[in-house]
Amino acid sequence: MRRGKLFYFSRFFVRLKIGRWTAEVPPPEGPTVYVCHHGNMRGPVTSLCWLPFPVRPWVLHVFTDRETCRAQFRDYTFSKRFGMAKPLASFLAGAVSGYVSALMASLDAIPVYRGMVKIGETFQETVAALQAGDPVIIFPDVDYADGSDQVGEVYDGFLLVDRFWSRKSDEPLTFVPLRLEKEERRITAGQPVRFDHSADRKAEMVRVREALRREMNEG
């Protein structure tokens, strides 16, 4: 797994900002996908800073390219979400997009082409990462800006990773839910979940999704 100097440089300052968290998460044994609450960036920032082993995060593809990143910040994040005037939104977007896209490369992030034909590339790169022994982390919240402690509605499309994986390997793929315990400033792992390939696929998608959500909301 490639992690660049920009990640380590940034992590140093982010750790100073958010303070120390402990991570009671054992290292993966075999191919593993970690699933965590987004929580308006709390999940990505905390887990990527404090997990004791590197993971490859799923990241919306617009943030992995400088030009699409600039457009996202200009046309949505700064203007619509934060209500900034367009000239200011455009200026700030230009200022931060280079850093953000470079940081995603330094993290070795996996671009997620949600709702696009290229989504197959996301799954293929994820499977390649797992084959290389790299664990993956996904933040599947539908409302990613929800800063509450409880996980609400989640996408279940990410669970198709298991289908792509099973085409390449007979080794079982494990999904591990992560809990963010804010008061204790602790990351803990919930009960691992695996697909039962002898059961109905649609029913299994629901079972695995709800089991992961339930585990992330425990504690």
Side-chain angles (χ1 to χ4, degrees), residues 129-158:
L130 294 167
Q131 288 179 312
D134 298 335
V136 173
I137 189 166
I138 297 174
F139 309 91
D141 306 59
V142 172
D143 184 5
Y144 66 88
D146 179 10
S148 66
D149 294 335
Q150 294 293 297
V151 180
E153 185 180 1
V154 297
Y155 294 108
D156 59 9
F158 75 95

Side-chain angles (χ1 to χ4, degrees), residues 174-192:
T174 303
F175 293 87
V176 176
L178 298 181
R179 306 186 191 111
L180 300 177
E181 300 175 1
K182 187 168 61 174
E183 291 187 6
E184 296 85 358
R185 302 183 65 78
R186 182 172 61 199
I187 307 170
T188 59
Q191 188 68 29

Side-chain angles (χ1 to χ4, degrees), residues 54-212:
V55 290
R56 291 191 63 184
W58 269 24
V59 174
L60 192 63
H61 77 279
V62 296
F63 296 111
T64 62
D65 173 80
R66 182 169 187 170
E67 287 307 309
T68 57
C69 185
R70 183 168 66 88
Q72 176 74 10
F73 279 118
R74 181 192 64 217
D75 301 333
Y76 174 72
T77 306
F78 293 141
S79 55
K80 293 182 179 178
R81 188 176 174 193
F82 295 140
M84 296 180 182
K86 282 202 169 182
L88 178 58
S90 182
F91 172 78
L92 290 176
V96 304
S97 58
Y99 167 77
V100 171
S101 57
L103 179 61
M104 296 305 103
S106 190
L107 276 166
D108 208 7
I110 297 173
V112 179
Y113 299 96
R114 185 184 300 153
M116 303 172 65
V117 174
K118 292 178 69 176
I119 188 62
E121 295 181 16
T122 300
F123 291 111
Q124 289 166 7
E125 187 168 349
T126 301
V127 168
L130 294 167
Q131 288 179 312
D134 298 335
V136 173
I137 189 166
I138 297 174
F139 309 91
D141 306 59
V142 172
D143 184 5
Y144 66 88
D146 179 10
S148 66
D149 294 335
Q150 294 293 297
V151 180
E153 185 180 1
V154 297
Y155 294 108
D156 59 9
F158 75 95
L159 294 172
L160 292 173
V161 169
D162 183 79
R163 184 180 299 179
F164 280 79
W165 172 256
S166 63
R167 294 172 183 169
K168 296 289 186 178
S169 175
D170 293 328
E171 189 175 4
L173 177 61
T174 303
F175 293 87
V176 176
L178 298 181
R179 306 186 191 111
L180 300 177
E181 300 175 1
K182 187 168 61 174
E183 291 187 6
E184 296 85 358
R185 302 183 65 78
R186 182 172 61 199
I187 307 170
T188 59
Q191 188 68 29
V193 184
R194 289 178 176 172
F195 273 86
D196 178 358
H197 293 148
S198 66
D200 178 75
R201 168 62 64 170
K202 290 184 179 179
E204 277 297 279
M205 289 281 282
V206 174
R207 181 188 69 82
V208 172
R209 181 194 68 204
E210 292 307 309
L212 291 169

Side-chain angles (χ1 to χ4, degrees), residues 23-61:
E24 299 175 2
V25 181
E29 297 181 1
T32 302
V33 174
Y34 293 93
V35 185
C36 186
H37 181 27
H38 194 287
N40 200 22
M41 287 302 298
R42 183 191 303 151
V45 169
T46 304
S47 59
L48 292 172
C49 277
W50 289 110
L51 282 177
F53 47 83
V55 290
R56 291 191 63 184
W58 269 24
V59 174
L60 192 63
H61 77 279

